[in-house]
């Protein structure tokens, strides 16, 4: 056999390790961002201000998973979805903010609703129509 001079780590091994470290790094950065946002929200004052619902949107993500490792045929996969709900509020100063919320709160709001918005940082708390 011919020795390519790569030693213990061949070309594929190096690429695999680098890609693995990049993926782990991305996960770590996302976790740290989430903790930072959570901490910032907890240290923000809880405010209640007059607001107008100006827009609503949903973000639907689709995921495909192999069934018990079976990747053969059409029945080898199942699909799941996750929906995120967002509402944009305009406050008296004219500033707008988009807040994430659960589906139940999202369903109770309509564009054009006016009332009192309660939020803490970027965390939606409630909205009471006037």
């Amino acid at each position: 056999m011919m020795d390519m001079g790569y030693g213990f780590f061949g070309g594929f091994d190096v690429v695999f390790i680098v890609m693995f470290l990049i993926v782990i790094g991305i996960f770590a950065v996302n976790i740290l961002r989430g903790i930072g946002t959570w901490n910032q929200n907890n240290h923000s004052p809880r405010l209640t201000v007059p607001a107008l619902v100006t827009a609503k949107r949903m973000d639907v993500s689709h995921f495909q998973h192999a069934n018990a490792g079976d990747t053969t045929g059409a029945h080898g996969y199942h699909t799941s979805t996750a929906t995120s709900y967002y509402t944009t509020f305009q406050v008296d100063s004219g500033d707008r903010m988009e807040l994430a919320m659960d589906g139940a709160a999202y369903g109770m709001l309509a564009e054009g609703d006016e009332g009192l918005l309660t939020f803490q940082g970027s965390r939606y708390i409630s909205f009471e129509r006037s």
Side-chain angles (χ1 to χ4, degrees):
M1 296 216 151
M2 191 167 122
D3 184 11
M4 300 297 276
Y6 291 113
F8 179 73
F9 293 108
F12 177 77
D13 293 337
V14 171
V15 170
F16 178 79
I17 290 171
V18 168
M19 293 304 292
F20 179 76
L21 292 175
I22 289 172
V23 169
I24 294 298
I26 290 170
F27 279 121
V29 166
N30 284 331
I31 288 170
L32 291 174
R33 280 187 186 161
I35 291 170
T37 299
W38 174 82
N39 187 44
Q40 183 177 5
N41 284 341
N42 286 344
H43 287 90
S44 295
R46 183 178 276 205
L47 301 173
T48 300
V49 297
L52 169 71
V53 176
T54 58
K56 293 172 57 175
R57 72 178 178 92
M58 294 184 292
D59 182 20
V60 181
S61 300
H62 300 277
F63 306 96
Q64 192 172 41
H65 311 276
N67 287 330
D70 177 18
T71 58
T72 61
H75 301 289
Y77 293 95
H78 72 275
T79 303
S80 61
T81 60
T83 305
S84 299
Y85 301 93
Y86 302 93
T87 301
T88 302
F89 297 92
Q90 182 172 320
V91 297
D92 285 346
S93 67
D95 292 330
R96 291 184 178 201
M97 65 181 82
E98 182 179 67
L99 300 175
M101 61 188 57
D102 64 28
Y106 178 87
M108 297 300 292
L109 298 174
E111 289 184 22
D113 281 352
E114 293 184 40
L116 294 176
L117 168 67
T118 302
F119 65 99
Q120 185 176 21
S122 63
R123 183 182 299 147
Y124 170 83
I125 307 292
S126 67
F127 183 79
E128 289 183 41
R129 269 183 217 84
S130 18

